[in-house]
Amino acid sequence: MQGNCIHRLGDLQLRILQVLWDDGPSSVAAVQRATGEDLAYTTVATMLRKMEARGLVTHHESGRRYIYRAAVKRDEVTHGIADRLVDRLFHGSLTGAVNHLLETREVDPDELDDLERLIQRHRMRS
Amino acid sequence: MQGNCIHRLGDLQLRILQVLWDDGPSSVAAVQRATGEDLAYTTVATMLRKMEARGLVTHHESGRRYIYRAAVKRDEVTHGIADRLVDRLFHGSLTGAVNHLLETREVDPDELDDLERLIQRHRMRS
DNA sequence: GAAGTAATACTACCAAGGTAGTAATTGCTT
DNA sequence: AAGCAATTACTACCTTGGTAGTATTACTTC
């Protein structure tokens, strides 16, 4: 929920949230399966419990088993993490960030087209 | 140096590296001052020692005092962290990342111009 | 109803970041 | 020389993510 420092997620925590966002409410077993990684059942269960304590997920019972669901929105988290990065590395400069990404990644012309369209679309808006 | 998981830096570690990149080789006291944060002298000294153990910085002695310098390049680190983020959050899609940044940040028209120029410049290159 | 199985709860550990106190050293200043 | 100030070394502690074992509980199946 609230000011929970939504950025600062470990790899496993993010992985689990992604499963819950993609697949919707899931049992521990389902999450374990969906992560694709080779983790003990109890590892996933423990992490889910820790995440619930932090307000990242909630659960309700279905029979004797817990069904977990994400308590934070994908956009919130993505936004939080991305913003934090832009601030930490580029002093909040979006241009700096995009520039760096363009410099250091392979970008094919199609992607450049996409980007240009994005910018056009944004220009309309303001 | 090498395979040291250059992404995965704590806030303080990144902060310290930024000081060393900006100001060049510095004593502990200088780093402490430059971080701007209110940290005990020994906190900075300890962190520098831990970072040296991880290969992030090196030191040489000048009289009885240590002068630390960054052992990793700014670009390496920035690239590592940014790449990791794009992979973690956007499945490696640069367009997805940029799109998200545009959606969630205030972007003024000047910045859009800058971005467009960036893209043009990149188009030339390929 | 006895045995097996699946689920959760509890506990424990390790590593790393972060923070800082205390001790020891050494050099400078009066 | 005596004492103060700066500096490094060592140690300690807390938190969090990550990983998983063991114990307990409860449902299912024969």
Side-chain angles (χ1 to χ4, degrees):
Chain A
M1 340 250 167
Q2 68 275 41
N4 255 329
C5 244
I6 228 105
H7 52 277
R8 321 210 97 99
L9 292 177
D11 283 342
L12 180 56
Q13 296 181 334
L14 186 56
R15 191 75 202 83
I16 287 176
L17 281 176
Q18 279 163 342
V19 168
L20 295 178
W21 289 324
D22 288 340
D23 299 359
S26 311
S27 66
V28 177
V31 172
Q32 181 198 19
R33 219 174 309 118
T35 59
E37 277 137 72
D38 187 30
L39 294 165
Y41 184 95
T42 52
T43 298
V44 177
T46 304
M47 187 49 83
L48 279 164
R49 223 161 325 106
K50 286 187 178 184
M51 288 170 75
E52 182 157 38
R54 257 191 68 186
L56 296 171
V57 302
T58 58
H59 83 271
H60 71 273
E61 291 174 44
S62 157
R64 75 244 132 258
R65 101 170 93 183
Y66 286 7
I67 305 295
Y68 285 93
R69 80 174 60 221
V72 289
K73 292 205 214 57
R74 185 170 227 150
D75 273 357
E76 265 182 278
V77 171
T78 307
H79 184 201
I81 297 179
D83 256 31
R84 174 151 173 270
L85 177 120
V86 173
D87 289 338
R88 288 212 312 167
L89 294 184
F90 304 102
H91 304 92
S93 155
L94 182 127
T95 316
V98 175
N99 187 29
H100 184 90
L101 289 173
L102 288 174
E103 291 286 345
T104 56
R105 296 203 145 226
E106 290 289 305
V107 190
D108 53 73
D110 284 357
E111 264 189 310
L112 287 175
D113 290 347
D114 288 345
L115 287 175
E116 202 134 80
R117 261 192 297 276
L118 272 181
I119 293 172
Q120 284 316 324
R121 193 140 35 85
H122 260 269
R123 226 185 264 285
M124 304 290 170
R125 216 173 295 180
S126 48
Chain B
M1 330 261 170
Q2 69 276 36
N4 255 330
C5 247
I6 227 106
H7 53 276
R8 323 208 94 99
L9 291 177
D11 283 343
L12 180 56
Q13 297 182 333
L14 186 57
R15 192 74 203 83
I16 287 176
L17 281 177
Q18 279 163 341
V19 168
L20 295 178
W21 289 324
D22 287 341
D23 298 359
S26 311
S27 67
V28 176
V31 172
Q32 181 199 20
R33 219 174 309 118
T35 60
E37 276 137 73
D38 187 30
L39 294 166
Y41 184 94
T42 51
T43 298
V44 177
T46 305
M47 187 50 82
L48 278 164
R49 223 161 324 107
K50 286 187 177 185
M51 288 169 76
E52 182 158 37
R54 257 192 69 184
L56 295 171
V57 301
T58 58
H59 82 272
H60 70 273
E61 290 175 44
S62 156
R64 76 244 130 260
R65 101 169 95 182
Y66 286 7
I67 303 297
Y68 285 93
R69 81 174 58 221
V72 289
K73 291 205 216 56
R74 185 170 226 149
D75 272 357
E76 266 182 278
V77 171
T78 307
H79 184 201
I81 297 179
D83 254 32
R84 174 150 174 271
L85 177 119
V86 174
D87 289 338
R88 288 213 313 167
L89 294 184
F90 303 102
H91 305 92
S93 155
L94 182 127
T95 316
V98 175
N99 186 31
H100 184 89
L101 289 173
L102 286 174
E103 291 287 343
T104 56
R105 296 202 145 228
E106 289 289 304
V107 190
D108 54 71
D110 284 358
E111 264 188 310
L112 288 175
D113 290 348
D114 288 346
L115 287 174
E116 203 135 79
R117 262 191 296 277
L118 272 182
I119 292 171
Q120 285 316 324
R121 193 140 35 85
H122 261 269
R123 226 187 265 286
M124 305 287 171
R125 216 172 294 181
S126 46

